[in-house]
Amino acid sequence: MDKIDLHSALFATYAIAATLMILKAIGMSWLTVARMLQVNGGFRSPEDLKKTPINPKPEPSQLAPNERVERIRRIQLNDLENLPFFLVAGFLYVLTGPPLLLAQCLLYGYVVSRLLHFAAYFTGQIHEVRATFWSIGSFILIFMTVRVLLTAVGY
């Protein structure tokens, strides 16, 4: 179990990649709030229409979907659908004791693919651009997961 140690370059690589992905996911929540305040809309709950210092003139239209807010929510939902797989697959992959360089390429490659996916989605690029970056991350997850399975069964 000496692999699960932040002094291990292999585990530290995983910890850095995982931390970056967690911070990105948390950042999406803050980006959603910032966008809602920016457009003064895209709220979801009826209580959001109560008069407050932040919303001094509430209007029913503030509960209507706002495309700029919804785009951020869709990006966040995509993260929430993919991040748990990465956290588990990456952790288990590190336990297989892969070469450090390969692990760095895969783990950091996943992070880069997700950041590029975010940039493509945020800027409204065509589906094929988003799908390319998503696919890169997905292939990385498949590779790591299959490697874990093969190691676990003795190959």
Side-chain angles (χ1 to χ4, degrees), residues 62-87:
Q62 291 174 312
L63 288 179
N66 178 285
E67 175 51 29
R68 296 185 72 211
V69 175
E70 293 306 312
R71 176 169 294 279
I72 303 300
R73 285 188 173 124
R74 289 191 301 270
I75 297 169
Q76 184 177 36
L77 180 60
N78 189 276
D79 281 346
L80 296 175
E81 292 169 348
N82 289 277
L83 181 58
F85 296 119
F86 171 71
L87 295 175

Side-chain angles (χ1 to χ4, degrees), residues 2-146:
D2 60 332
K3 293 176 186 151
I4 303 175
D5 180 344
L6 289 174
H7 298 291
S8 157
L10 185 57
F11 188 74
T13 297
Y14 167 74
I16 292 166
T19 301
L20 290 172
M21 289 292 83
I22 292 167
L23 287 171
K24 182 199 177 294
I26 293 168
M28 293 307 303
S29 296
W30 285 100
L31 187 56
T32 302
V33 171
R35 183 58 59 88
M36 288 168 46
L37 292 173
Q38 182 183 46
V39 302
N40 195 28
F43 304 147
R44 284 203 165 159
S45 303
E47 61 270 18
D48 296 341
L49 295 184
K50 292 183 179 177
K51 186 176 181 177
T52 67
I54 293 176
N55 192 12
K57 297 178 183 176
E59 302 173 18
S61 64
Q62 291 174 312
L63 288 179
N66 178 285
E67 175 51 29
R68 296 185 72 211
V69 175
E70 293 306 312
R71 176 169 294 279
I72 303 300
R73 285 188 173 124
R74 289 191 301 270
I75 297 169
Q76 184 177 36
L77 180 60
N78 189 276
D79 281 346
L80 296 175
E81 292 169 348
N82 289 277
L83 181 58
F85 296 119
F86 171 71
L87 295 175
V88 173
F91 181 78
L92 294 174
Y93 180 69
V94 166
L95 295 179
T96 69
L100 178 60
L101 182 59
L102 178 59
Q104 288 172 329
C105 289
L106 293 170
L107 295 167
Y108 295 148
Y110 183 84
V111 170
V112 170
S113 76
R114 294 304 299 172
L115 293 174
L116 291 172
H117 178 269
F118 163 77
Y121 213 146
F122 189 76
T123 60
Q125 301 302 309
I126 60 172
H127 178 264
E128 287 78 1
V129 173
R130 274 193 344 259
T132 297
F133 297 130
W134 179 89
S135 295
I136 291 168
S138 182
F139 289 137
I140 289 170
L141 289 179
I142 291 167
F143 177 86
M144 290 191 305
T145 304
V146 168

